[in-house]
Amino acid sequence: MYRIIKDYRDNETLRQSFNRLAEKTFGLDFEDWYRNGFWGDSYNPYSAVVNGEVVANVSVNRTDFLYDGKVLHFLQLGTVMTKEEYRKQGLIREIMGEIEKDAEGKADGIYLFANDSVLDFYPKFGFRKSAEYQYGKKVFNAGGCRLEKVVMDNPAAWERLEDAIGRNLFRGKLDLVRNPGLIMFYVTKFMRESVYFHKGTDTFVIADVEDGRLFLHNVFSAEVKETGQVIEWFGKEIQEAVLGFAPTDAEGYEVTEIREEDCTFFIKGDGLQILEGEKLRIPSLAHA
């Protein structure tokens, strides 16, 4: 017999069991994120547990977004997984029911990103497919790069970035707030080489550059507010810039619907309808 257990991140046995299943299913291990102090209250696995072992899971990531001067409270579902011998027993359905019960009246919407193998599954819970939009443009910068790389492989670098996140004034139109742990998950694992620093304005930039194309994930600055200024810092090698967020000023940008292979966006709740209506996107660093 199984039990659904949540809020257990400090339980060594359950956390390690969760990590083993995540490693086997997705190649992910959350232990270093926990040990480095970034697994906060915003990330909460809901797990079916049998004899002290996590056999199925749906994680809830609380993602608050600042939009039009007010904070919207969303929940993102992820790390959906079931141990092979426990599949097709309704465990995920039971977990989803528990999540729905806990979320009632507390969230403006729930969303997730699903792979192609489960596209018929989530509509059973009231989710529907939704569009997201991406902003990009050709650019013609002059001069060299005015940024230095900051490799995110040590506590001193992490502390500097966390401080910048706390002092940030740079905003997208739909901007993740109150969840620095999710950003730190990215930069301490997959994006250690994707962080840049502009000394003159004490600004951190998270971006990927490849073959003249800049993908600008986010900017953290107590001084800089203009996206165009940040793009210029990358110098003349950049011919195209794509944003991982919806800019507050979209003039000059081409807007296209995001289409990613094996990644379908599902939403539930009236609050998330603004994404299609206002042509927004979930910021790239807010995917869990």
Side-chain angles (χ1 to χ4, degrees), residues 241-276:
V242 178
L243 306 183
F245 54 90
T248 54
D249 182 3
E251 184 177 355
Y253 285 93
E254 180 184 2
V255 186
T256 57
E257 185 175 337
I258 298 174
R259 297 185 182 276
E260 294 185 25
E261 185 177 350
D262 207 28
C263 185
T264 299
F265 184 50
F266 282 94
I267 66 171
K268 183 176 183 178
D270 293 341
L272 282 156
Q273 293 180 14
I274 60 170
L275 273 79
E276 290 180 311

Side-chain angles (χ1 to χ4, degrees), residues 8-62:
Y8 63 75
R9 73 170 185 262
D10 294 324
N11 182 311
E12 184 84 13
T13 299
L14 290 179
R15 190 182 68 253
Q16 293 292 352
S17 180
F18 166 78
N19 278 327
R20 287 193 296 271
L21 185 56
E23 173 68 34
K24 185 174 182 179
T25 307
F26 301 111
L28 290 174
D29 187 343
F30 294 80
E31 188 63 17
D32 55 346
W33 189 51
Y34 172 82
R35 295 291 178 188
N36 292 331
F38 301 129
W39 183 338
D41 294 336
S42 294
Y43 186 78
N44 188 8
Y46 281 61
S47 299
V49 177
V50 176
N51 296 325
E53 179 185 13
V54 173
V55 300
N57 180 81
V58 179
S59 291
V60 176
N61 204 311
R62 188 176 70 245

Side-chain angles (χ1 to χ4, degrees), residues 154-221:
N154 63 87
W158 303 338
E159 185 176 347
R160 289 175 63 200
L161 178 56
E162 280 194 290
D163 180 63
I165 293 172
R167 294 183 292 107
N168 187 40
L169 293 178
F170 183 95
R171 296 295 178 197
K173 196 168 183 179
L174 183 73
D175 203 40
L176 179 70
V177 294
R178 304 173 181 170
N179 196 339
L182 183 50
I183 296 166
M184 299 307 293
F185 178 81
Y186 275 101
V187 300
T188 60
K189 295 178 79 68
F190 317 113
M191 303 176 70
R192 290 186 176 190
E193 302 284 341
S194 300
V195 180
Y196 298 81
F197 182 68
H198 185 260
K199 188 174 182 180
T201 60
D202 197 25
T203 297
F204 280 87
V205 181
I206 302 178
D208 291 312
V209 178
E210 185 175 359
D211 297 329
R213 183 179 187 266
L214 168 68
F215 191 97
L216 184 61
H217 291 283
N218 216 328
V219 179
F220 300 103
S221 177

